[in-house]
Amino acid sequence: MKKHFQIAGRGSWLSLAQVEIFREIIQQRFPGTEIHFLEKETRGDKDQSTPLHMINGKDFFTKEVQDTLEGGEADFAVHSMKDVSHVDFFGQNHFAVIDREDLHDVVVFNPDIIEKIKGGREIVIGTSSPRRSAMATGFLKQALPRYEAKDPVINAVPIRGNVDTRLRKLDEGLYDGIILAVAGLNRLLRYAPASADVRSLLQDKKLMILPLFECPPAAGQGAIVVEANPGNQDAVALLDAVRDARLTSAILKERHYAEQYGYGDSREFGVFHIDTPYISFTYAGGKDLEDRPFAEWDFERPPHQPGEIFSAAGHMKSFFSYRYYDTLPDEGKDSYFISSHKAIHNDDAVRFLQQQRVWAAGTKTWFSLAEKGIWVEGCADGLGLETLAPLLESPLIGLEPERIQIITNETSKNRWIAGGWSAVATYLVIPEKNRAIQEKIKNAGTLFWTSYQQYNMYRDDVRPDARHCCLAGKTASLFRDEGIEPHLFPDVKSFKQWKEKQLILITGGV
């Protein structure tokens, strides 16, 4: 294999950061290899006025870079995955996914956003993506904090330019907030030539990380893909050596959904594949090509099990009563993770958290906090706090685990502390058996639990051959500690969809 390679890419800071990532991977794998950079200006760099949704998926940011491969001007072309068209990715050239950052989108707000919400003034959000416009603005109407029961008025308007250009437009007050990919910001914050400027532009801004299920990203978001001419044997061999097989598999799954529903940011559709410590799945949601809403999950579903299907999610108010404490969160932490919408119930806690960085377990808790006027920075999508760790510790967020406090119930508090976390209990969960539920559980062949405590109450009523199902996270861990291997679902909606299909099969569609 030769020792000198030419890499082509765009001249933006983000493109240069991605080239540098590829260069570091090559030199770690093949020490002594010399890498030279060839900058190419694309049509997308020249045209800063055409809305992106009118041109996405047409190699707007890739063609000129790709053209360097055919004539041998460069050995490699480096791209953001979501800029590469479906035709090219499944075409003649040789591709390798070599890195992927966080999948989320983030809304970056100017610091006066709270005053604007309180004043009932229109909030202008900059984005050129129909996907982000539809999903994010709809979500923000529920997720932004409420004051005096006022719903925020949100208007999404077009914005163009590189990441740093968009941040400058925000800083100049042309927008109240802009939507960006977390991946791009993290890469720029790690890229020495850009880091100081980007950090300065983010100073004093308020962040809101959009949840994956409500606001799924474009296929391939956050991934770097490198392309080579198949006739360039040295380049192909190098790409084969550095290809990340797990990431490539994830991108292929997302791209096959994109083939059905649309590419890049040009459609009101998003898709992501995620591998958690507990479950791997692909989720696609938004609007199909005929503008009909849809949601699909691709994961290992359990086979049919004789007996009824019981879901604790449909009986949430029948399991427990609650005794609330006057306990307040400990001061001096950097952030507070709220495990349930029941955890914040007194005015003193609300006033305290209105001045803090706050994260939520899921969107139900998020919306409850927003109604209390609390700014929520993001949530775990119901997948467990552990799945958030890389994001929390990333340059954009900068939260170390030891500086986070969990706000939860008495039983869960002790489990969190045993796991090395700081935790405080603001309420006690009191089990209350229900005879009707007890009979349903006795007859069930499949049971879906939303917490381990539910199972613990009725464990003596469960059939020995019953299948247990739950979400990923603490509940799954506790079942495994018990010696039970539960079947995992990505979220409650995916279980409900599976249950409905099972009932159709059982009844024959009647």
Side-chain angles (χ1 to χ4, degrees), residues 43-63:
R43 189 160 59 97
D45 298 311
K46 296 174 184 176
D47 181 352
Q48 290 290 314
S49 59
T50 305
L52 286 180
H53 70 271
M54 297 176 62
I55 47 183
N56 254 3
K58 300 178 182 177
D59 308 314
F60 199 56
F61 292 107
T62 60
K63 186 179 185 303

Side-chain angles (χ1 to χ4, degrees), residues 362-506:
T363 51
K364 182 178 181 179
T365 300
W366 186 328
F367 296 157
S368 174
L369 295 170
E371 289 175 357
K372 294 177 170 65
I374 296 170
W375 185 280
V376 178
E377 201 164 327
C379 76
D381 272 297
L383 297 172
L385 179 55
E386 297 87 349
T387 64
L388 272 182
L391 172 61
L392 295 176
E393 296 180 42
S394 72
L396 179 63
I397 305 301
L399 285 174
E400 297 296 329
E402 60 269 19
R403 302 299 300 161
I404 300 171
Q405 182 164 71
I406 316 298
I407 303 180
T408 185
N409 63 71
E410 190 69 54
T411 302
S412 297
K413 178 196 78 171
N414 296 328
R415 293 180 182 139
W416 282 108
I417 291 173
W421 292 87
S422 169
V424 63
T426 58
Y427 66 109
L428 177 67
V429 176
I430 304 169
E432 292 186 346
K433 272 203 169 187
N434 179 293
R435 185 174 293 277
I437 289 179
Q438 190 173 22
E439 290 305 312
K440 289 179 182 291
I441 288 173
K442 286 180 178 180
N443 295 323
T446 299
L447 304 111
F448 179 80
W449 308 100
T450 60
S451 75
Y452 179 80
Q453 291 163 295
Q454 295 165 343
Y455 159 74
N456 206 32
M457 285 174 59
Y458 291 97
R459 60 193 306 151
D460 294 336
D461 300 306
V462 175
R463 283 170 32 179
D465 63 339
R467 176 199 294 121
H468 298 277
C469 304
C470 65
L471 304 183
K474 284 286 182 186
T475 302
S477 295
L478 291 168
F479 269 113
R480 286 172 177 166
D481 291 344
E482 183 85 7
I484 297 172
E485 187 61 40
H487 198 100
L488 302 183
F489 282 79
D491 66 352
V492 174
K493 291 180 182 177
S494 65
F495 175 80
K496 289 180 179 178
Q497 191 178 86
W498 173 83
K499 180 182 176 183
E500 289 170 3
K501 290 182 178 179
Q502 293 300 301
L503 293 177
I504 291 172
L505 290 173
I506 293 169

Side-chain angles (χ1 to χ4, degrees), residues 9 47 64 71 81 169 186 204 260 267 271 274 276 307 313 322 336 356 366-367 378 384 413 427 450:
D47 181 352
E64 289 78 4
M81 181 72 246
K169 290 179 178 180
N186 274 334
D204 298 328
Q260 301 175 57
R267 297 286 309 162
V271 58
I274 188 169
T276 78
Y322 304 93
Y336 299 84
Q356 307 300 322
W366 186 328
F367 296 157
K413 178 196 78 171
Y427 66 109
T450 60

Side-chain angles (χ1 to χ4, degrees), residues 40 93 126 200 280 293 309 337 424:
K40 285 291 179 178
N93 277 351
S200 176
S280 296
I309 300 173
F337 180 83
V424 63

Side-chain angles (χ1 to χ4, degrees), residues 283-340:
Y283 172 79
K287 290 186 177 180
D288 64 18
L289 295 175
E290 296 180 1
D291 282 338
R292 295 173 302 193
F294 80 97
E296 293 183 20
W297 293 262
D298 182 10
F299 65 103
E300 185 182 349
R301 291 170 172 82
H304 174 67
Q305 177 95 339
E308 296 180 9
I309 300 173
F310 173 79
S311 173
H315 304 274
M316 294 298 289
K317 295 181 180 180
S318 302
F319 282 94
F320 311 107
S321 63
Y322 304 93
R323 182 184 304 155
Y324 296 98
Y325 303 158
D326 292 330
T327 311
L328 295 177
D330 293 341
E331 295 185 17
K333 294 293 184 181
D334 291 337
S335 186
Y336 299 84
F337 180 83
I338 316 302
S339 67
S340 168

Side-chain angles (χ1 to χ4, degrees), residues 223-243:
I224 300 173
V225 64
V226 185
E227 179 181 9
N229 188 311
N232 187 334
Q233 295 182 3
D234 286 332
V236 168
L238 190 148
L239 281 189
D240 287 342
V242 300
R243 175 185 286 108

